[in-house]
Amino acid sequence: MPEEAIAGFVLGIDHIGVAVSDFEAAMALHQGAFGFASAHEEVNDEQGVREAMLPIGDGGPSIQLLAATRDDSPVAKFVARNGPGVHHIAYTVADVVAASARLREAGVRMLYDEPRLGTAGSRVNFTHPKDTGGVLIEIVQPVQQAEGAT
Ligand code: V0V
Ligand code: CO
């Protein structure tokens, strides 16, 4: 892979994660006031979240609404500390393992040694927010890339 391609490993914004305390009310707001449609909903037991993806425009990034399903969920802790609000930004990458390695080389702590299951079969990792300017950054390898990988 050429240097330029490695330097440009962030392909786009996959989603912006928003922590909510009332999932139904947040869905009603985003679908009603903003006219978003829900493209995908699931419960991620490992992460302790109920979530919905609401794409912005045609093929744009999504708003990811996240409600905690248990008290020790990262989202429960975030909401208890800060109240509802923007929780993370998720960047699309082609290879989450390579992207994590590159970030570690740059001195950024990654929260997981190995990628974990994200939305719709994607593979994800997160930066430590203290190493990325106080912003929790998720990197996402969507399932299409995972299937297409050789
Ligand atoms: C905590 N901190 C944050 C933060 N959460 N800063 C920015 N954005 C956030 N969302 C700050 C916190 O205020 C502390 O700052 C510092 O980080 C360390 O906090 P801590 O008390 O040591 O740790 P916790 O228990 O608050 O946990 C923080 C981390 C946790 C980031 C380690 O939230 C985590 O493991 N996140 C990764 C998984 C996740 O977020 N899952 C939910 C989304 P001070 O007080 O020291 O200054 S799941 C998802 O998006 C999926 C599945 C998907 O998209 O596919
Ligand atoms: Co996310």
Side-chain angles (χ1 to χ4, degrees), residues 14-15 17 42 44 47 49 51 53 64 66 73-75 77-78 81-82 86-88 90 111-112 117-120 122 124 126-130 134-136 138 140:
D14 185 89
H15 63 267
E42 69 179 65
N44 185 322
Q47 295 290 337
V49 295
E51 58 152 283
M53 283 290 192
Q64 180 183 45
L66 295 158
S73 155
V75 169
K77 198 166 175 186
F78 180 89
R81 185 185 283 158
N82 308 295
V86 175
H87 182 260
H88 64 270
L111 295 182
Y112 308 139
L117 178 66
T119 307
S122 62
V124 303
F126 292 84
T127 67
H128 193 293
K130 290 293 163 195
V135 180
L136 177 61
E138 175 185 341
V140 187

Side-chain angles (χ1 to χ4, degrees), residues 60-79:
S62 296
I63 297 296
Q64 180 183 45
L65 299 180
L66 295 158
T69 56
R70 51 173 200 265
D71 289 345
D72 64 350
S73 155
V75 169
K77 198 166 175 186
F78 180 89
V79 170

